[in-house]
Amino acid sequence: MFDFLDSGQYDVLGAFWVTVQLTLYSAVGSLIWGTVLAGMRVSPVPLLRGFGTAYVNLVRNTPLTLLIIGCSLGLSQTLGINLGGETFKETGFRLAVLGLVAYTGTFVCEALRSGINTVPVGQAEAARALGLSFFQVLTLIVLPQAFRAVVAPLANVLIALTKNTTVAATIGVAEAALLMKEMLENEAQAVFAVFAVFALGFVLLTLPTGLLLGWVAKRVAVKR
Amino acid sequence: MKISKAAAAAAVAVALSLTATACGGSKKDAASDGGASGGAKDKIVVGIKFDQPGLGLKTPDGKFTGFDVDVATYVAKELGYQPDQIEFKQAVSAERENLISNGDVKFIVATYSINDKRKERVDFAGPYFLAHQDLLVRADDTSITKVEDLNKKKLCSVTGSTSAQNVKKNLAPEADLLEQGGYSECLTGLENKAVDALTTDNSILAGYAAQEKNKGKFKLVGLSMSNENYGIGLKKGDKELQTKINAALKKMVEDGSWQKAVDKNLGPANYKNEPAPQITEGS
């Protein structure tokens, strides 16, 4: 039943490695972009607050497929912005990371903002009274506590991101979902076996993430 | 007393709704039978592509056009079904075998290449058409004349398709291949010069080039990079239907409707079709 795996025709591990790379790059990128967005949303400058709110609500409610195809058709093929990629393989990967960061950053931002709300107002007021600037209050007092409160929600975002990387197949990034499409085209007699292999692959990627970060969340949570 | 009355009423209501749904359910089952009983009043369900201009396309007003649709209509007529008794169902490439073996469709006419792996799960009638993998380029582009030229070019095809795999593994491993979700996305890139050529079966390419909005923009190169024998997929072991469909296809070629259907659907792209292939399946 699983003999198509032995034919040597399909590089399943290679495809999942691309999935892992996509996830890691996008996770780092969206953590940074999400933190910046959260900072904007709680900042005292109305213009930044407005931009943050508008961006989050616009991008969060746009389907990811639309964003990624928009990156490929709009940015790359129509405007010729290839992010320094020489071949379609490089360009596609970078565009996919861009799309995933733009999208996942909004969820990181909102998770983080809920974490900021768990920090008692008195702490920020005390820090202000000591003469710290807004930036110092945010980075030294509020964010470190906020991050420790939202490890579990961020783990959910990371797991969702892992699965969302499959959308990159629509612009030709050779990750797991693209290989699955190829295999379904060739091995139609074993549709369920192919499906099972990829379902298992994603469980193997996401389950340990959830368990590990769940444990971390318990360890670092600020007990109030 | 009051409570038991209410309970009785509720029980009756539940029983009624159950029988009602049961009725609806069984009716629906009969309708989605794929026309297996074959009576004159029944419908026949035929699988086609909904998104391939020139072959199988569902137009915005809900009509169906294309060469595959014409073949399906002709075959259904020979089986004793009028055009208004045909129900077209979308047959996405990856789902074709399941649609047939589950009995959701009676047969599938959807650029369905005959090959041995597929024959493990379904039987074919035909072939009714011979296509080749070819390239579509901008009308003023003369830089591609042979397969080797592709190694220095930017190519576009559909994710996971046989044509894309064929390029990667056999034809031009060094070509810069972009895999998109659909051929329309590839056309955008081709028009904007982000890619140099679009590759798949020449019949599908001709369908796109023949579309009203694309006329004069693109041309076929005319390379025959593979042989794709399109067959009509049907349930494994249904020899009777296979024989009937083969007879219908033969008749369609002999009375000239086959050539007429090709000219009507693929003609405007200046596409030279192969003559109707010999029927090889199930003889």
Side-chain angles (χ1 to χ4, degrees):
Chain A
M1 191 181 180
F2 289 95
D3 47 353
F4 56 88
L5 286 177
D6 302 327
S7 67
Q9 204 181 339
Y10 307 108
D11 186 8
V12 177
L13 287 182
F16 269 108
W17 175 233
V18 178
T19 298
V20 170
Q21 282 177 307
L22 262 182
T23 310
L24 289 181
Y25 282 110
S26 309
V28 172
S30 40
L31 199 60
I32 297 170
W33 179 225
T35 312
V36 173
L37 278 174
M40 283 184 191
R41 292 207 68 174
V42 297
S43 84
V45 185
L47 192 67
L48 286 181
R49 271 208 312 274
F51 172 80
T53 312
Y55 177 90
V56 166
N57 283 312
L58 197 72
V59 175
R60 183 174 57 168
N61 295 307
T62 309
L64 179 62
T65 316
L66 216 64
L67 284 176
I68 298 230
I69 291 181
C71 283
S72 171
L73 280 185
L75 284 183
S76 169
Q77 293 187 43
T78 308
L79 296 175
I81 300 168
N82 289 331
L83 304 176
E86 296 280 313
T87 60
F88 284 129
K89 208 176 153 192
E90 286 173 21
T91 311
F93 186 87
R94 290 173 193 194
L95 288 170
V97 170
L98 178 73
L100 285 166
V101 167
Y103 182 76
T104 315
T106 62
F107 294 94
V108 171
C109 163
E110 290 304 270
L112 207 49
R113 210 161 59 93
S114 73
I116 291 174
N117 288 337
T118 66
V119 181
V121 187
Q123 298 220 3
E125 285 169 348
R128 286 295 285 165
L130 287 173
L132 300 184
S133 70
F134 168 76
F135 191 72
Q136 284 171 318
V137 175
L138 193 68
T139 51
L140 295 176
I141 311 293
V142 177
L143 277 184
Q145 298 186 63
F147 266 114
R148 293 171 68 172
V150 294
V151 173
L154 284 182
N156 286 339
V157 173
L158 180 61
I159 288 171
L161 171 67
T162 311
K163 295 180 288 181
N164 283 342
T165 55
T166 51
V167 176
T170 55
I171 62 166
V173 180
E175 43 72 64
L178 189 131
L179 185 66
M180 187 171 95
K181 272 193 173 176
E182 275 189 17
M183 288 167 76
L184 288 179
E185 175 96 10
N186 301 344
E187 313 286 339
Q189 79 288 354
V191 170
F192 293 108
V194 170
F195 184 74
V197 167
F198 285 93
L200 181 73
F202 275 99
V203 170
L204 288 180
L205 284 184
T206 52
L207 211 57
T209 314
L211 291 175
L212 180 74
L213 288 176
W215 176 76
V216 172
K218 271 195 198 133
R219 290 286 304 249
V220 301
V222 184
K223 303 280 184 305
R224 292 187 207 283
Chain B
M1 279 305 276
K2 252 184 190 172
I3 292 165
S4 67
K5 244 186 197 170
V12 168
V14 167
L16 275 177
S17 64
L18 275 180
T19 44
T21 45
C23 277
S26 64
K27 240 184 206 164
K28 212 180 162 202
D29 284 347
S32 62
D33 187 29
S37 46
K41 279 173 204 158
D42 290 331
K43 286 208 161 202
I44 185 167
V45 186
V46 179
I48 57 163
K49 290 268 170 76
F50 276 17
D51 55 355
Q52 287 185 346
L55 292 161
L57 183 72
K58 186 178 187 178
T59 54
D61 55 0
K63 290 203 183 78
F64 300 95
T65 64
F67 177 67
D68 281 345
V69 176
D70 291 349
V71 171
T73 314
Y74 193 94
V75 169
K77 193 186 81 193
E78 292 298 309
L79 295 175
Y81 297 92
Q82 291 308 307
D84 59 342
Q85 287 174 300
I86 306 173
E87 187 191 321
F88 287 114
K89 196 177 174 96
Q90 183 165 26
V92 183
S93 291
E95 283 169 17
R96 290 182 292 206
E97 287 80 10
N98 280 333
L99 285 173
I100 292 173
S101 52
N102 294 344
D104 291 332
V105 296
K106 186 84 172 168
F107 58 84
I108 285 185
V109 195
T111 60
Y112 201 179
S113 299
I114 301 173
N115 70 32
D116 290 340
K117 277 232 171 96
R118 286 168 179 167
K119 275 200 244 177
E120 286 173 23
R121 287 206 43 205
V122 298
D123 272 343
F124 287 96
Y128 63 95
F129 195 82
L130 173 60
H132 304 293
Q133 186 176 351
D134 196 3
L135 300 169
L136 190 74
V137 295
R138 287 181 293 276
D140 56 356
D141 189 350
T142 53
S143 62
I144 302 173
T145 51
K146 52 185 188 300
V147 178
E148 289 76 49
D149 292 340
L150 290 177
N151 277 321
K152 284 173 251 128
K153 293 288 180 182
K154 289 179 184 291
L155 268 178
C156 188
S157 193
V158 165
T159 315
S161 66
T162 322
S163 320
Q165 295 180 41
N166 201 14
V167 167
K168 271 194 279 190
K169 282 172 194 148
N170 308 320
L171 295 173
E174 283 160 43
D176 194 6
L177 179 68
L178 173 66
E179 290 180 67
Q180 291 277 21
Y183 296 110
S184 311
E185 280 102 311
C186 282
L187 279 180
T188 308
L190 188 57
E191 219 179 331
N192 292 319
K193 304 195 175 178
V195 298
D196 301 313
L198 162 54
T199 183
T200 182
D201 298 355
N202 51 8
S203 52
I204 299 171
L205 294 174
Y208 276 99
Q211 269 186 312
E212 199 58 48
K213 59 179 181 189
N214 293 332
K215 259 181 200 163
K217 283 189 198 164
F218 309 113
K219 66 172 185 195
L220 287 161
V221 175
L223 302 173
S224 299
M225 301 190 284
S226 73
N227 290 328
E228 309 288 338
N229 279 298
Y230 292 166
I232 293 180
L234 49 96
K235 200 163 215 158
K236 196 156 180 59
D238 196 344
K239 288 277 169 224
E240 195 193 336
L241 182 64
Q242 193 182 33
T243 316
K244 277 187 193 166
I245 294 181
N246 277 337
L249 289 175
K250 234 175 235 166
K251 191 175 167 200
M252 188 177 182
V253 174
E254 276 161 15
D255 72 5
S257 334
W258 187 87
Q259 188 61 44
K260 227 184 276 173
V262 172
D263 291 343
K264 186 183 94 187
N265 293 300
L266 306 171
N270 206 9
Y271 166 58
K272 305 216 173 20
N273 68 285
E274 298 274 345
Q278 283 295 315
I279 286 170
T280 54
E281 296 298 306
S283 45

